[in-house]
Amino acid sequence: MGKSKRTLGIITLCFLLAFCGCADKRETGSETRPEASVTGEAGEGQNVSEAAAGAAQTPTGNAPQTPTGNAPQELPTGVSPEQSPTAGEPTGTTEPTDAAEPTETPESTVTAAPTGNGKPTATPKPAVTAAPQKPTATPKPSRPTEGQKPTSTSTPIPTQSVKLGTSLYKRYEGYFYFGTCVNASYLNNSKVTELVLEQFNSITCENEMKPDALLNQYQCQAQGKVVITVPSNTKKILDWAKKNGLKVRGHVLVWYSQTPDWFFREGFRSNGALVSREEMLSRMESYIKQVLNYCDTNYPGMFYAWDVVNEAFTDDGTGYRDCNWYKILGEDYITEAFRFARKYASAGTKLFYNDFNTYINYSDKLKTTRICNLVKELKKENLIDGVGMQAHLGVSYPSADDFVRTVTTFSNLGVEVQITELDVMTTANASGWKQQADYLDRIFSALEKNDRTGVCNLTSVSVWGIADNYSWRAESTPLLFDDNLKPKAAYYSVLQQ
Ligand code: XIL
């Protein structure tokens, strides 16, 4: 982490401490906070990380909504991604006032090949692999003692091999893919890529395939139609995945966030009026068609799933999220997006509805039910293949039981379930890491058994980052590897060996 980033982090932490002091005052809305989440509130003597650990995805949605924000509702109370000292940098074009001339052009077209269906095959990796997949001479590390103290974030990445000799994807081969998100910075560190290739057989671009990365305002304005330009960072990741035989989850086609506001406006102008329903449907179709065609053409068979629509419902599931898509097209923007995605996706690419807080189902907060109803509707036209559960969790909320039960609830609809963005916020100390490991152990012992015995139909699990200092929520140390790329107790919980 750079010095300036660290300084920014300290300043932000001070801000957060002051902000969380007001948490109780802001907690006066009409919504009832679920019991389980109460432990997540910043109280006296509790630090920000502890509050964060318990406040994951609670339906109170205290975090302020920002117009162009990145899922602020999922952050610990009072924190938005923009405020997070370590949040990953979204790439690509983000609402320039004047459309800048692009520097890149999309790749030329080649015919796409369809991919297979269903569960991952036992050996998803092809022969062409840059990094050897066999365990190296590096001895298998001993399982960390429970609650091992996290190492300092300032320790540099080791120069020796970081390979473990155990592998998450090999552990679950034949059951489900095991993946991580990757952003362009990962590729600058050979230890990171070495570890990713040993542990994972699937990746998701953290930001590089979102609409704000792909849409080119200059070209849209110049040509008077939707034009995508695939940035070099995106290509770098996808080429690396192709070379190493990794499979890819496409993320994301239609989302309220990280989609430029000008995309919805006349003339693709930032100050234009919102376009008509007809025009927006045509833009949606064009965008989806171009992205899917680009992927099939340049990376045939590599994309096994796409998040077609992300986070269409409010945080707690009480209704539809108000956004430009909803404003212009109404509720059925979701169905329309799936229709276009089905039309242009190759046969082997599975289509997903992806969301967070998917396990909330009580009182009037029926997010699970809403998603189930949506799936049933979309299934009537054979438009959907699965539900993506983001799974930005905290050690004290939701309960492992509730989470695991929801995987089964969705599976029972006859669709696949993929855990798409797993991270578990906890306090950055020994007891926090023990809690994190215990929590993941409860989840994975149940999921492993349920998937093996057909109780659920889990086809992919992805963590949202390789190591704590790469996480969008780095301060809550939510991942399986520490800042030195050493496996945490949490890693062994997920490995279930
Ligand atoms: C996050 C990225 O991790 C951050 O780098 C970015 O600043 C904001 O978006 N739900 C999603 C993901 O579907 O795309 C979000 O990723 C996390 C919440």
Side-chain angles (χ1 to χ4, degrees), residues 39 111 120 195 254 332 403-404 428 472:
T39 52
T111 314
L195 193 58
V254 172
D332 60 336
F403 183 79
V404 170
W472 71 314

Side-chain angles (χ1 to χ4, degrees), residues 422-436:
L422 177 66
D423 52 20
V424 178
M425 300 205 292
T426 192
T427 326
N429 62 25
S431 82
W433 283 21
K434 181 179 180 329
Q435 280 180 286
Q436 187 180 50

Side-chain angles (χ1 to χ4, degrees), residues 144-447:
T145 47
E146 299 247 71
Q148 189 179 25
K149 197 176 186 326
T151 47
S152 155
T153 50
S154 59
T155 315
I157 300 290
T159 48
Q160 73 276 16
S161 174
V162 288
K163 286 193 177 181
L164 295 177
T166 52
S167 161
L168 293 168
Y169 87 80
K170 285 184 180 160
R171 167 69 179 83
Y172 292 106
E173 206 158 38
Y175 292 105
F176 42 82
Y177 289 112
F178 214 109
T180 177
C181 76
V182 163
N183 65 48
S185 78
Y186 285 41
L187 303 192
N188 299 330
N189 184 331
S190 61
K191 298 296 162 202
V192 168
T193 52
E194 184 180 35
L195 193 58
V196 169
L197 291 175
E198 183 188 49
Q199 298 301 323
F200 304 106
N201 55 5
S202 162
I203 61 157
T204 308
C205 290
E206 183 170 13
N207 291 298
E208 290 80 355
M209 300 206 78
K210 292 174 178 173
D212 66 358
L214 302 182
L215 280 167
N216 184 321
Q217 187 181 21
Y218 178 88
Q219 286 297 342
C220 288
Q221 288 183 352
Q223 298 185 36
K225 62 179 189 186
V226 177
V227 180
I228 64 161
T229 305
V230 180
S232 61
N233 273 346
T234 312
K235 286 183 191 161
K236 214 164 104 182
I237 297 172
L238 298 179
D239 289 346
W240 174 77
K242 186 177 182 178
K243 180 173 152 207
N244 290 287
L246 295 164
K247 292 285 185 177
V248 178
R249 287 199 88 257
H251 178 76
V252 49
L253 294 171
V254 172
W255 189 20
Y256 79 97
S257 184
Q258 290 183 263
T259 303
D261 184 66
W262 56 257
F263 182 53
F264 302 90
R265 297 187 178 274
E266 278 175 11
F268 303 100
R269 279 181 284 105
S270 307
N271 58 359
L274 289 178
V275 296
S276 66
R277 176 186 166 82
E278 196 188 11
E279 170 64 15
M280 204 60 230
L281 278 175
S282 144
R283 288 185 186 187
M284 179 193 256
E285 174 165 14
S286 175
Y287 180 75
I288 290 175
K289 178 181 178 180
Q290 288 183 58
V291 174
L292 293 180
N293 282 352
Y294 174 85
C295 295
D296 280 346
T297 299
N298 295 287
Y299 307 97
M302 191 165 87
F303 285 78
Y304 66 100
W306 262 101
D307 291 328
V308 177
V309 177
N310 199 29
E311 303 179 353
F313 301 119
T314 52
D315 298 7
D316 56 12
T318 47
Y320 288 87
R321 186 182 296 282
D322 191 20
C323 65
N324 283 333
W325 287 116
Y326 181 74
K327 273 195 188 91
I328 299 172
L329 298 176
E331 295 174 10
D332 60 336
Y333 83 86
I334 307 173
T335 311
E336 296 292 355
F338 274 91
R339 282 190 187 127
F340 294 135
R342 187 60 99 206
K343 183 169 170 191
Y344 297 108
S346 64
T349 306
K350 301 292 178 74
L351 305 183
F352 279 74
Y353 173 76
N354 192 49
D355 211 331
F356 64 94
N357 280 353
T358 47
Y359 35 78
I360 289 182
N361 223 34
Y362 44 78
S363 178
D364 62 331
K365 298 174 176 53
L366 300 172
K367 197 153 183 175
T368 315
T369 304
R370 267 187 190 278
I371 296 170
C372 286
N373 290 341
L374 174 68
V375 169
K376 285 177 197 160
E377 279 307 304
L378 293 172
K379 260 181 76 97
K380 287 181 189 163
E381 285 184 57
N382 185 31
L383 296 177
I384 191 168
D385 301 302
V387 176
M389 297 173 67
Q390 289 185 9
H392 296 295
L393 312 174
V395 290
S396 51
Y397 183 81
S399 75
D401 282 353
D402 279 348
F403 183 79
V404 170
R405 198 177 303 123
T406 313
V407 176
T408 299
T409 303
F410 294 137
S411 300
N412 286 343
L413 300 172
V415 292
E416 297 179 22
V417 177
Q418 300 191 346
I419 293 171
T420 54
E421 305 176 14
L422 177 66
D423 52 20
V424 178
M425 300 205 292
T426 192
T427 326
N429 62 25
S431 82
W433 283 21
K434 181 179 180 329
Q435 280 180 286
Q436 187 180 50
D438 290 347
Y439 182 76
L440 281 166
D441 183 54
R442 285 197 291 280
I443 289 182
F444 275 86
S445 59
L447 287 181

